[in-house]
Each structure stands twice: as C-alpha cells, then as structure tokens.
Amino acid sequence: MADEKRSSPSDYNALYDPATRAARNVALPALPAERPEVERLTKAVPGLTIDYDEATRNPVRISPHQPAGRLSSATADSPEATAQQFIRDQKDLWQLDYDDVETIDVLSVSRQGLPTVRMMQRVGDVEVFQSNMTVAVAQDNSVVSVTGQLFSGAAAGLVRSATRRAGGENAGARDLSAEDAIAKAASDLTGHPYEPGDFEPASAAGGQDGGTYRSYVGKPGTRAGTGGAEPAFKRPVRVKKVLFPLGGGHVVPGYYIELWVAGYPAFSYVVEAVDTPDILFRKNLTSGATFKYRVHNTGIPPLFRPEDGPAPGTPHPRGEPDGYQAATIPEKLIELESLLPGRPWLPDGATTTRGNNCFAYADLKRPDGFDSGEAVGTVTAPGTFDTRYDHSKPATDRSNLQASLVGMFFHVNWLHDRWYEAGFDEASGNAQEDNFGLGGLDGDPILAEGNDFSGTDNANMSTPADGASPVMQMFVFAGPSPMPSRTSNHEALITFHEMGHYITNRLVGNASGLMNTQGRAMGEGWGDFFAICMTSQPEDNFTDGVFAVGGWTDLRPDFENNYYYSIRRYPYSADMNKSPLTFKHIGANVVLPVGPPRSPDAGGPNNEFHNAGEIWCCALWEVFVNLVAKHKHEEAERRMLQYVIGGLKLTPINPTFLQARDAMMTAAAALNPEDLGLIWRGFAKRGMGDGAAGPSSVSSQLTGVVESFRVPPSFDAREVAESLDAT
C-alpha cells in the first residue's frame, strides 16, 4: 500500500563503481604521464583546457582558454561535417581506432543560439549509453569546443562479451527479454516482487516509439496491471536496447528503462540483458523544489513578461528582513499567439489548455495523470480564457483553479519560446508534441499538473529522456490560518524553477547527466536563476537589491520573512552584506559567514543540493548583474540566456561547478567574446575565479575548495570595472 512505500533507492552508475568493475575483471587504464595526441593539440591550440572523466580517463570537455580560440579551422561546409572531421582527426584523444570512429553518428544539429552538433555512438542500431558528444561550431564552421564522452573499443567489446557468453566464463548464459529487465527494475525501485509475466508489449494504439523505443504495459490482473495490487504504473514503460560501457573497452548489452510507478518518483534504469540481470544504472528523474508562484503579467509587448506572482515582491522594497508582505495585483488579459512566429501555443478553435508544448490540467485524485474526471483550463468565450482569481477564496475554488491552470499554461509556453530563441530547440531535445521534422524525438509535451493530489507545500519536475513527456507537479499551500490556501500553479517563481529542472536535465546527458552532488546542486541553482532572472524588470535595483525565489506561498504562522528569504538561507543579491556565500561554502563543514542575517527557517549541511545550489545561482546572478550594467536589461537577459543554454549544451555528464563555468565561458567566447571579462568578474566575485580548484565530480562532501577571486591576466579587471562604471 502507499503508506508502506519504502524510500527511493540511490542513484547509481556501474561505470563509476570500482567494486562492480573489479567483480567483472575490468581494469581501467591509468592516464599516461605523456600523451602525444594531447601535446599535438596543445601546440596547435595554446592555452588548451582538457577535463578528463575519472573512470575512463578520456576527455569529457576540450576547449581553448583564449576568448576567440578555436580547436580547428573550418574543414567542411556544414557544422556536422566539420564535427565529424574533427573527431576523425583527433580520435587518439579518446583512444579510438578506425572501427570506433565508424560507430559515431550525428544525432542532430541545433542552429539556434550557439550552433551545436550532437553525436552518439551506435553499434548497429544500438546506442552506446551516455556516449553523448556535443561539438560547438562557430558561424564559419570552425570548432569552438567539444563536450561529452566517447568510448573506445565499443564494437570489439561487444564481440568479446558475446564470445565469453558462447564459450567462456559465462558459457550458456541466456539473453534476457525486455520484460525480464522491467521486472528487475520495478522490483528494485519498489521492493515488490514483479515478474516478467506481469508485462506485455503495448498495442500500436498504446504508442510504440518509432523503432528506437518500445512501450510495455502491465497485464490486467497482475501487480503491474490496472487490476492488480498496488503499486500500479502511471504510464507505459519505455524501453530501448543499449550498450553499457564499463571502461577499458568493455561494454555490456542492456535495456534502458523509464519507470513511472504510482507513489514513487520517476526513475530511469539500465538493466543488463544477459543471464542474471544486474542493475548497471539508476537515476531519480524527479527534481524536488519548494518555490511556488502563479503568473500575473506586466502586459508590456513584445515579451509580455510574467510578474513574480499574484503578489509580486521582488526586489524587496527595503532590503531587510522586516516582515514585509506584498499586496496582490490584478491580472491582465493578454492577447498573444506566441513569441515565435508561426508557432502558436494552441491551434485554431482550441477550447482547452492543451497545445503543442504543454498540456495543463488539474490532477486532483488518483490515479496519477489526466483522466476524464479531472479539470482542464477551459475557454470562457471563443478564443478567450478569462477567469479571475479571487484571493478571498481557497486555491481549490473552482474558478480559482481555472485561473491558475491558465496561468500555468502561459508560463510553460512562455519559457518554451524564450528558451527556444536562446538555443533549446527540437534538435537539442526540447519537449513538443510535434517537432515539425526539425530533429529530436517528438510526442513529449510538458504535462503540467496543477493542484496535484500527491503533495502539499511543494512542487517537483520529473524529466525523462527526449521523446517522453516531462511531468511538472504543482501543489497547494495551506498558508497561515485563517487565510485561504494558495496555489503554486500560477506562480512564476515556482513554475520557472521547476521548468529549470527540465531544461537542465534534458541538455546535460539527455536526463542522465545530473546525478552527482555538484550536478544536482547546480540543477537547483540553475532553477533559482531562471526564476529570478526571467521575472526581473528593467527598473529593478540590480546593484544591491534583494531577490527571493519565493514569497506569496511561503507565508506561515511562524515565518513572515517570506519575501526576504523565501526558502533559502540567504536572499540573492549582488550585495555581499546580504548574500555572503562564496565557492567554499559548498563544503560540508565550512562555517557560514557571521553578520548577514540568515533565515531561521532554512538549514542543513552546505553540501545539500539546495544549499550548494545557492552558490551556483549567486555566481550566475553576479554575471547577469554585470551584463545588465553594460548592456541594459533586455539585451543582458538575451545574452545571458544564450550563454547559460549554450553552456548547458557543452556541460559534461556528472559536472563540477568549474566545468559548468568553463562551458558557459566557451559559449560566450563563441557568441560575444567581449563579454568574457564581465563573466569572469562575476564568477571571481564568488570565489570561482582564475586558479580556483574544486571537488572532484564524484565528491559528495564537496570539500577541498580552493577559492580564487582573480580575473585572468588577459582581462584587465580595472578596465572591466571602468566600463561598468561608465554605463
């Protein structure tokens, strides 16, 4: 039963588990002291930066340190041909042979924002798991940077694996079915004894996924089916064959699986496809968060930017924790097709909030997801959704629910279009019902579930790989009695944060990349940043103003500084006397600064995801504030979104703070190198300057930070400061 549900299992990746590799006699090569292929490229590209994977010892990020540096000159007349040529020319960097190079396919090409080419290894029709390679290409088709992982010996490793099964140590081992693998994964997640016979292939009507994925459902009358015991499945299980790399040329056939089980977070698995199935990979796809706001609008074209929420209060009018409560504001009726020409949010004649990018509905009761008894945003007149929110009534009031569903639908679509303009397009893995033949997998609009029955006083986003719909669950907030309840559906600061989890998880490893402590922390920080940046206004006080990531829904009987702290330890501000955190404060046992007021309602260790994420958001905010001072608000935001989204495309799996910083720098260098000094100045202010050192990508305590507040010598900090003062 639901109340007997055990806690969710931990994330796991066998590639990074020494015990698993040792049990399989997989020896990883030591990184040679001298690598001729690295020396060759270093001579050709002065100041080259190469980050290596801690398991395979292969590069996961290669970029020039100079602002306008390039890894290669133009070698072909298209981005994809240039990317392929670079990999062929530099194959020794990943210890690839010619057979390995033949396994690399171009997956998609994104031409929005920073042009990027996504590549993947396939042996036959089966992909090598996490062999995601992103090559950034300048307008002249020269290579800007390379991010991702390629695995040597994949094809040969598969042959060796098959040979061992046929006559070696695993002789007689049987190949397992997808149903075997699903049962193994479902049992691991829930603790219930699922059997292969509980599952069957979905019918064509149930949706096969174009040959790459196949869908499976629980048989009626079984535990996995609708007629069996709990827990049941909320949606069909999506499965595809993969080859899982263990390093050193070893690969294992497996099944990639996405599970949506009632009462549990969404999870992805890779389960071995041979003999007794081992779990090779496990990742919680649900990113929790706790900021909740619904949209009201400035009404200013052409952007029609959402307000913070129904009672906007950022920046804080007095910049001190004095119990300030913002007044509610009326909604505005906005007439808008979309922000992207020719890409309407709804088709002609639509009567509900179900469009190409988003399906917004209320999920008020079991089972999870939309059914015929649920509410959906509905027109009040042809072409018009015109329901007002009554603050004297609870969030569950029928009219209030309608108003908030429409607001949530607006937020998701607005972010879709803004992020699309900055580079998060179909080829990059965005969520759309129809991708219009422009790359990626379609059939995966955002499912925005308002007033979700499964929780209170919170919100979350579950993000599967491209081609399956992410789910955003927004909850009702009880609020202080006798005030009526409030809803996160219509709150921009909450919906924007949750949507931030979706974009970051899709762009880093296609939903499998942010599973280390620093990656998950940055996921929270990116979400906070999107919330406060994309609801900021030109007239805001960016110099020393206080910006909270929540407010309206966070009011409780024992907590009245919701507009100053929200749910974080400190507010976000460029004023270090209000927001004092620097890079070292991600470390588990580092003492927090004395002096600046800290929320009495937020705590926990520094290395907790949300707490460490505060430092990442602080650094991004400093960069944005510098850009605003130089370029003014609208242009600064346009550039910043391109840098952040371009940087996300270039961020390796299991990233560190400094790798993500450098990825963002690389994107900026390719787009507007004149901004690099401003970006360096922002990161340096928070201790991530030139010469900073951080924890390894596998660190959980996040100790060993060496801070640097220095801008690189190639950028004169005085000149940067003067340029800011002059504007």
Side-chain angles (χ1 to χ4, degrees):
M1 299 299 291
D3 59 352
E4 298 172 342
K5 179 176 71 68
R6 65 175 186 168
S7 60
S8 300
S10 302
D11 291 347
Y12 172 74
N13 189 332
L15 176 62
Y16 299 94
D17 182 10
T20 296
R21 296 197 305 266
R24 293 170 177 265
N25 296 316
V26 175
L28 297 181
L31 187 64
E34 296 182 1
R35 296 186 64 177
E37 65 277 7
V38 173
E39 294 178 5
R40 181 184 68 242
L41 188 58
T42 301
K43 289 180 180 178
V45 185
L48 184 71
T49 298
I50 301 181
D51 294 325
Y52 294 92
D53 182 83
E54 296 190 24
T56 66
R57 310 298 195 267
N58 283 329
V60 292
R61 183 173 182 274
I62 307 172
S63 66
H65 198 63
Q66 297 300 318
R70 297 289 185 267
L71 298 182
S72 77
S73 58
T75 56
D77 58 2
S78 69
E80 54 268 43
T82 295
Q84 290 174 307
Q85 185 62 51
F86 181 83
I87 299 301
R88 284 194 293 268
D89 292 345
Q90 306 295 338
K91 65 182 185 300
D92 292 347
L93 289 170
W94 295 276
Q95 305 172 61
L96 305 178
D97 58 25
Y98 288 103
D99 288 339
D100 294 323
V101 172
E102 292 301 313
T103 68
I104 303 170
D105 290 339
V106 172
L107 192 61
S108 60
V109 181
S110 171
R111 293 177 171 83
Q112 292 289 129
L114 177 70
T116 50
V117 180
R118 291 175 61 203
M119 309 173 81
M120 175 186 290
Q121 285 181 276
R122 287 191 176 95
V123 178
D125 293 329
V126 181
E127 73 178 64
V128 178
F129 186 66
Q130 290 194 330
S131 63
N132 295 292
M133 177 69 74
T134 299
V135 180
V137 181
Q139 296 295 336
D140 64 356
N141 286 335
S142 59
V143 175
V144 174
S145 77
V146 176
T147 302
Q149 177 90 282
L150 294 173
F151 296 96
S152 60
L158 181 62
V159 172
R160 287 196 298 270
S161 176
T163 301
R164 287 196 301 270
R165 297 202 307 275
E169 64 219 49
N170 293 326
R174 68 184 183 96
D175 291 336
L176 300 180
S177 67
E179 292 90 338
D180 288 311
I182 296 169
K184 176 72 173 182
S187 299
D188 178 80
L189 174 60
T190 67
H192 290 273
Y194 291 94
E195 298 293 338
D198 292 339
F199 303 93
E200 63 184 1
S203 64
Q208 300 299 323
D209 287 315
T212 302
Y213 288 96
R214 295 190 65 80
S215 295
Y216 290 79
V217 295
K219 292 181 179 178
T222 68
R223 183 181 302 276
T226 55
E230 289 184 342
F233 283 71
K234 299 186 291 186
R235 62 164 73 175
V237 181
R238 200 165 66 134
V239 182
K240 67 179 176 181
K241 292 182 178 181
V242 296
L243 297 174
F244 188 90
L246 289 171
H250 295 262
V251 294
V252 179
Y255 292 98
Y256 172 82
I257 299 166
E258 290 173 350
L259 299 179
W260 300 73
V261 181
Y264 291 83
F267 261 80
S268 63
Y269 279 79
V270 175
V271 177
E272 188 171 8
V274 179
D275 202 27
T276 303
D278 281 343
I279 290 170
L280 302 171
F281 178 90
R282 178 201 302 122
K283 182 177 186 290
N284 188 331
L285 299 176
T286 301
S287 302
T290 50
F291 359 168
K292 305 89 183 152
Y293 288 43
R294 77 177 176 35
V295 72
H296 283 61
N297 204 274
T298 63
I300 302 173
L303 288 183
F304 295 101
R305 185 186 302 277
E307 297 276 12
D308 300 349
T314 60
H316 193 286
R318 293 180 287 277
E320 59 184 41
D322 59 2
Y324 163 78
Q325 296 299 309
T328 59
I329 61 173
E331 304 94 332
K332 290 185 173 72
L333 189 61
I334 304 299
E335 185 174 357
L336 184 67
E337 181 182 66
S338 73
L339 302 181
L340 300 176
R343 292 292 191 91
W345 294 349
L346 289 169
D348 290 343
T351 59
T352 65
T353 49
R354 186 168 196 164
N356 195 53
N357 310 321
C358 174
F359 178 26
Y361 55 90
D363 191 12
L364 304 178
K365 63 185 188 324
R366 297 182 186 279
D368 186 76
F370 182 76
D371 61 43
S372 58
E374 306 283 20
V376 62
T378 306
V379 296
T380 55
T384 303
F385 297 86
D386 189 12
T387 305
R388 297 180 183 273
Y389 195 95
D390 185 343
H391 290 273
S392 69
K393 296 180 180 180
T396 53
D397 173 78
R398 184 182 182 91
S399 292
N400 282 352
L401 178 59
Q402 273 293 310
S404 64
L405 290 176
V406 173
M408 182 170 61
F409 179 78
F410 190 102
H411 286 167
V412 172
N413 280 282
W414 191 82
L415 286 176
H416 170 277
D417 290 2
R418 297 296 313 283
W419 286 342
Y420 192 103
E421 292 171 327
F424 188 36
D425 57 4
E426 296 90 350
S428 303
N430 75 357
Q432 296 180 175
E433 179 65 40
D434 186 348
N435 280 9
F436 310 110
L438 297 176
L441 297 177
D442 49 19
D444 60 349
I446 298 287
L447 302 180
E449 300 181 340
N451 285 23
D452 194 272
F453 72 89
S454 63
T456 59
D457 299 337
N458 212 319
N460 64 54
M461 172 67 81
S462 298
T463 310
D466 190 21
S469 285
V471 177
M472 182 172 73
Q473 294 181 317
M474 311 300 288
F475 302 146
V476 171
F477 284 68
S481 180
M483 294 182 180
S485 60
R486 302 176 177 188
T487 179
S488 62
N489 302 356
H490 206 17
E491 285 293 325
L493 287 171
I494 298 175
T495 52
F496 283 24
H497 175 94
E498 298 308 329
M499 288 288 288
H501 282 302
Y502 141 69
I503 185 175
T504 54
N505 275 292
R506 276 283 172 93
L507 286 177
V508 183
N510 194 20
S512 297
L514 297 178
M515 62 184 297
N516 61 330
T517 301
Q518 289 181 76
R520 286 195 178 272
M522 285 189 289
E524 300 297 338
W526 273 309
D528 279 4
F529 176 74
F530 284 126
I532 60 174
C533 169
M534 298 185 74
T535 59
S536 65
Q537 309 290 342
E539 64 274 12
D540 288 347
N541 177 4
F542 293 96
T543 303
D544 55 11
V546 166
F547 294 77
V549 293
W552 185 64
T553 55
D554 299 327
L555 180 65
R556 297 184 300 280
D558 59 345
F559 183 64
E560 295 184 348
N561 280 312
N562 41 309
Y563 279 98
Y564 186 84
Y565 299 112
S566 181
I567 55 170
R568 299 292 180 243
R569 297 173 296 176
Y570 300 94
Y572 290 114
S573 176
D575 184 346
M576 299 287 286
N577 292 317
K578 299 168 183 173
S579 172
L581 299 174
T582 59
F583 191 23
K584 67 183 178 184
H585 295 119
I586 68 174
N589 298 316
V590 176
V591 177
L592 294 177
V594 175
R598 185 184 351 154
S599 173
D601 207 54
N606 294 338
N607 60 322
E608 188 274 330
F609 300 148
H610 298 82
N611 288 344
E614 289 183 62
I615 288 84
W616 183 245
C617 182
C618 283
L620 295 178
W621 184 250
E622 296 288 358
V623 173
F624 179 57
V625 169
N626 288 347
L627 292 173
V628 169
K630 179 68 174 179
H631 300 295
K632 305 306 181 187
H633 181 263
E634 183 175 339
E635 175 62 14
E637 185 188 53
R638 186 189 70 81
R639 292 185 181 218
M640 187 68 178
L641 291 178
Q642 285 195 337
Y643 302 160
V644 171
I645 290 173
L648 281 164
K649 292 181 179 183
L650 307 181
T651 297
I653 287 172
N654 296 329
T656 67
F657 276 49
L658 299 182
Q659 287 172 341
R661 176 205 65 183
D662 291 347
M664 181 175 162
M665 294 277 191
T666 301
L671 295 167
N672 301 293
E674 68 273 15
D675 284 341
L676 283 173
L678 302 175
I679 299 172
W680 268 115
R681 187 172 183 261
F683 279 107
K685 182 176 176 181
R686 296 293 175 165
M688 286 178 260
D690 187 36
S696 73
S697 67
V698 297
S699 172
S700 60
Q701 296 298 299
L702 306 188
T703 54
V705 169
V706 178
E707 293 189 311
S708 169
F709 300 91
R710 188 171 69 100
V711 172
S714 55
F715 301 99
D716 189 310
R718 178 181 56 81
E719 290 182 1
V720 171
E722 288 176 352
S723 70
L724 290 172
D725 292 340
T727 57

